[in-house]
Amino acid sequence: MPITLLWAVDVYGRVYSLSTAGQRWVRADDLLLELKRVSAGKGRCWGIGCDHHIYLNIMPSETSIRYREETYENQRWNPVDGFTDVLLPTDRWPWSDVTGMNPQPLHSFQLPSRSWEWEGDWYVDQSCGEPSQTGGWEYAVDFPANFSPDKKWNSCVRRRRWIRYRRYTAQGTWAKIPLDNPKKPPLPLCDISCGGWEMSDQSGRYPYLWGVSQQGQVWFREGIHPRVPEGTSWEEVEAPKEVAQLSAGPGDLLWALLWDGNLLVRTGLSLDSPTGTSWFEVESPSKEVEALHVAVGVSVVWVVTKDYKVWFRRGVNSHNPCGSGWISIGGEMMMVDVGLNDQVWAVGEDRGLYFRMGITQSEPSGNGWIPVSAQWGSNKELIPPRDECEFSGHLTEASQGSAPSGTDSDSELGPTNSEHSATPILEAAGPSIVPLGGTGTSAPPQEAKEHSSAPQQDAPKAFIPASDSFINSLVSDRDRISTTQPSITETPQEDSVELPPAPVLPTLPASGHDVPFMNVDLEGAGAARSAQAAGRSLSDVLGTLENSQGIGEEDGPVWAWVSGGGCDVDASSRISWLSSTGPLISSLSLTPVQSAAWSEQPQQQEHQEITRKPLERSNSVWVRKGALRWWRDWKPQRWVDVGVALEQSTKSDGKKDSIFFVYYTQYDEKKYLQVFINEVTALVPVLQDCHYTFAVYTAERTKQRWPLVLAAPSEKEMNDWLDLLSDCCCEWRGIAGAPSRQALWSTTCKGDVMVHEPPLSLEAPAHAMACDLMYWRQIPGHLRCVESNSLGLVWGIGWDGTAWVYSGSFGLQPSAVNPEMHLQTDVRSIFVYENQRWNPMTGYTDKGLPTDRPMWSDESGLKECTKGSTHPPSPQWSWVSEWAVDFSVPGGTDKEGWQYAADFPTTFHGHKTMKDFVRRRRWTRRCKITVRGPWKMVPPIHLSDISLMPCLAQSKMEQVPLWALSDKGDVLCRLGVSPHNPAGSSWLHVGTDQPFKSISIGGANQVWAITRDGAVFYRGSVSPQNPAGECWYHIPSPPRQNLRQLSVGRTSVFAVDENSNLWYRQGLTPSYPQGSAWELISNNVTKVSVGPLDQVWIIADGVPGFPTETPGSVCHRLCVGPMQPKGLSWDYGIGGGWEHVSVRGNSAEPLRGPNPPPGGPSHSPALQRPATQVNGSAMCV
């Protein structure tokens, strides 16, 4: 790691540096230098002097800084004198720059400042041609033209370049930057900030300097270059309001503090526009307290308010320079500075220096403050950590060899006599910097009694400078307090006097609204210095101290400013002066002296009392960043490389809040999207272009039918992001462990299993929970459909027909090693269609009409799908077979697998006729996926449908009825199913004379089923004693409609026909369970699920108003109740690829309330006129 420096300024304007490889503070060589504040960057440090001049310190390096001055000598040929410097009036100047527009005679070049010196005299650049032949001249026909070293017959003009080098000689020292000439310099500056060096490809080569004048104007230093470190001139940047202070980050962040306490953010900063384009105002973190100081880094912003509270800005990025919100950070600081690697340095309320430990890219807010404990003075005294103070009932004397320094103490304290010069100064081994309120040096033991008995009002009051020109005030302060300094005689170290303990005084409360904007706040330092010079006993303020450190030459500095912009430190750095054995608490809600007093309280005497303040947990911010691909929201839609970040903040009460950011660039403009985790409703893997893709749903994006679709480069990275986002969503909602027994289950067309934890308001007649606000989380596994009930039984069927039973727990937190996870496999078939058209010359051929579908397509014919371009649904799937002709197509095929029709698209049949001009055949290929989930296989029969009897949660049943259909259409009844044995014991075959395709069992053992030809049957006499029933009763279907799926609730039956219409069975009573007639409810329905409370949920085929929406949306029927069993309207929820939903486990009774009026807007599709069908006669089969 390279050696870098930390810069700091004390309240007297003295500048110090601390090397990462050293252990001692080093004062600037120029003892007369007094700066107000400094701003460090890579390899340099800027400062504002008390004379309002700007100073620059360039770090020494092996490579010197040299700048080449050049000018051109121009001549023209004439027939009399040849080439001469007498030019035509229209020619350029005889001595000019390369363009010829600006005159540059040799004597006009002056050194820009005293920091430069000439390396030699002017000389001709003879790099063109042979020096002895050309003399450095270049020839051309005229000005301006292309010059060459060859003189020709038509060469009428010539020029040569003169060069002179100057070298920067002020490296390692503080050099004054000259005023602009002839430009008007800015008004006296009160603040500067160096930054911008990371915007260039060459880090650190092109820094920017910003300044603020005392009138609130913003200035920018132009012309800063590696060869011109001082810059050339100042440019004013218009600001909407008066600025008090600003901070520039290493990148393109610039924040400014206004006099009214709010903040400004500069946007549009880039290499092409270093001053930016516009300002945006941001409010102070606290409305009651104004901001006092701001500091920015690469992607962080820290603010200190006037009550000395520290705040961290969330969501700050070059794409979003304004951020998204404030987080309170523990600590009481007067100013902060963000250095390299976004590390944070601060000046505490006690005027000590602190470092924020634990700052990393994933945790930019850090986790606590530690003091900067570097050595001070020639005797290697440490400026100790504030929590290492040892409070006891006696004083330890100064070491015999300690004496005041003869270099700085005289200049600081004014003239002293010989008695004073030989007197040692007693220092506390605890904090060298005391809290505001002041404390001084303690008297030696011989005079301790005299000082303790002296009245406290005899001590002179601390002089607090009020002028902004603080050096003059402090100089006058030194003269004033030096006359009152008491004489302190040296005593042997072994003599000690026991003093009675004194209570520790807490830090004076700071008034947040009365803190003025000053270059340096000197109230605390002035009070401390005055009290110390007056000889006030330390026991009068802090009690007695036990000194375990060596005594230095003088007091440690009272810090006013720190700058870490050039200090290369990170969380893993091993720096000697940052390795505190006892780091401070994360929240400096106590002053460091109080914190140390509290931590050492067991060692104090029992009668000593210390004011106790409860420790507060510090807020923190955690960030996970990555790179993904984003399916762009607008047309033309395509994949875009983006950066993503998940930012999670933890508040003092432990509650966490997260934001997900997506950063992208559009037309060279940086933009971003943000998704609040508390608004996320689902995280779903999706099938798209064979990427590792997942979709992020929110309530607003669900309404717009446009989720945030992202793709990861690998399956592991996609799963990592899904797990991370899902954990944040569940943690915010308080969801932990396995699903509850009342959960809603669903599956997507991809096979993912989703679960929603229903609130009591989900089925409330009034003010029901909106369907698009429901949060769905993924459960490991892969299924085509899933059914549940309120007793904790969950069964599912895979795409290959395998039956699975849920083996996980309900409502309990799983253990770290989960024995309930099993290996689960699933197999599904992928289809493509080969299409052909007949023509008289060649018969059926793959040459279709221009209006025909692609000759290789999907079933709809809208998308071209060839065998070579068709891939498994996602990278998690793998092929397990080759392409083959599928002969099991609905409608039948001929011996070659072809189906025929008159044209595309019409109904296809399996035999050719004279009017059939097109044909198709289906090709199939099987693929397999293997996952791990809480599912156990139920062998050996493959199923096509399954149904569990819904019941209330308080129901007690020894065996739960379960009916199913095999893949061949046989009706089965599972025996022995119970909450203790969810898989059951055996299958019982129920006799039928035709295959079935859908079955459902409702309340009171009502079993309804649909045959493959669309006929409806009711199973009679089903009971716990007779689980298989006795006979089937035929129920007429709706007119001219074939039903394909149904669901039976407690007292209602709903069914879906082949045309996606939803029907309701009227007239169901306990005495007549077959009902009387069918009533049409709605269209646009593919699946229906009726729960134990007769609640109705469906999978809608599409959403009105969104024709391009992928089929499959979860919808809820509103206002379903005993008086309105059919409901009134639909509430469309999450959608786009949902395959199945089951609400049969939700038996939570909603809160009773008045039913809403039937009026109001409806979200349901257009209803057709209800059709009724009289009930037919029951028949036994």
Side-chain angles (χ1 to χ4, degrees), residues 739-752:
S740 67
R741 300 176 185 270
Q742 309 293 326
L744 275 67
W745 294 73
S746 65
T747 59
T748 67
C749 62
K750 185 179 178 292
D752 297 302

Side-chain angles (χ1 to χ4, degrees), residues 691-702:
H691 289 85
Y692 296 96
T693 312
F694 63 95
V696 180
Y697 284 85
T698 62
E700 187 62 29
R701 287 185 170 269
T702 298

Side-chain angles (χ1 to χ4, degrees), residues 68 70-72 123-125 127 136 159-163:
R68 184 179 68 185
E70 61 180 28
T71 185
Y72 285 84
Y123 65 92
V124 175
D125 180 15
S127 60
R159 72 175 185 183
R160 61 179 174 181
R161 181 171 61 178
W162 290 76
I163 295 176

Side-chain angles (χ1 to χ4, degrees), residues 744 762-763 771 1045 1047-1056 1062-1064 1081-1082 1085 1087-1099 1114-1121 1124-1131 1141-1144 1146:
L744 275 67
L762 184 62
E763 301 293 342
C771 199
Q1045 188 256 335
S1047 182
V1048 184
R1050 181 167 57 181
T1051 60
S1052 61
V1053 177
F1054 286 81
V1056 180
L1062 180 64
W1063 298 84
Y1064 168 71
I1081 301 300
S1082 176
V1085 179
K1087 294 284 183 66
V1088 63
S1089 178
V1090 183
L1093 304 178
D1094 288 334
Q1095 63 266 47
V1096 180
W1097 291 71
I1098 65 167
I1099 299 295
V1114 178
C1115 300
H1116 180 205
R1117 188 68 173 175
L1118 300 179
C1119 304
V1120 175
Q1124 187 70 35
K1126 298 174 292 186
L1128 294 177
S1129 60
W1130 293 110
D1131 181 18
V1141 64
S1142 175
V1143 71
R1144 299 170 70 81
N1146 182 21

Side-chain angles (χ1 to χ4, degrees), residues 427-483:
E427 292 194 20
S432 300
I433 314 306
V434 298
L436 299 183
T439 182
T441 58
S442 174
Q446 298 93 319
E447 300 177 343
K449 296 183 179 180
E450 298 179 12
H451 285 279
S452 61
S453 62
Q456 189 171 355
Q457 58 267 23
D458 293 341
K461 295 184 178 180
F463 172 70
I464 302 176
S467 171
D468 189 31
S469 180
F470 62 93
I471 297 300
N472 295 332
S473 301
L474 290 177
V475 171
S476 62
D477 183 24
R478 298 173 191 172
D479 296 336
R480 182 179 307 180
I481 64 179
S482 62
T483 60

Side-chain angles (χ1 to χ4, degrees), residues 252-255 265-268 280 282 296-301 313-325 643 645 647 659-665 669-676:
D252 52 1
L253 290 183
L254 177 68
W255 280 56
V265 182
R266 189 67 172 173
T267 60
F280 287 92
V282 177
V296 304
V298 176
S299 58
V300 296
V301 175
R313 186 69 173 174
R314 298 183 57 186
V316 175
N317 187 278
S318 60
H319 296 256
N320 179 24
C322 296
S324 58
E647 182 181 280
I659 306 177
F660 184 63
F661 295 94
V662 177
Y663 303 108
Y664 66 97
T665 303
E669 182 180 357
K670 295 179 179 179
K671 297 185 178 182
Y672 73 98
L673 301 172
Q674 66 178 15
V675 178
F676 293 94

Side-chain angles (χ1 to χ4, degrees), residues 330 520 549 778 839 893 997:
V520 178
Q549 303 284 354
Q778 186 176 1
N839 67 66
T893 65
K997 62 180 178 182

Side-chain angles (χ1 to χ4, degrees), residues 808-849:
S809 57
F810 286 91
L812 300 176
Q813 182 69 30
S815 59
V817 181
N818 193 348
E820 301 166 350
M821 304 297 286
H822 309 282
L823 195 65
Q824 183 181 10
T825 61
D826 201 0
V827 179
R828 65 183 303 180
S829 298
I830 304 299
F831 305 108
V832 297
Y833 287 82
E834 180 184 4
N835 307 303
Q836 292 186 354
R837 175 173 286 276
W838 181 87
N839 67 66
M841 300 297 296
T842 58
Y844 286 102
T845 179
D846 57 1
K847 304 296 183 182
L849 299 177

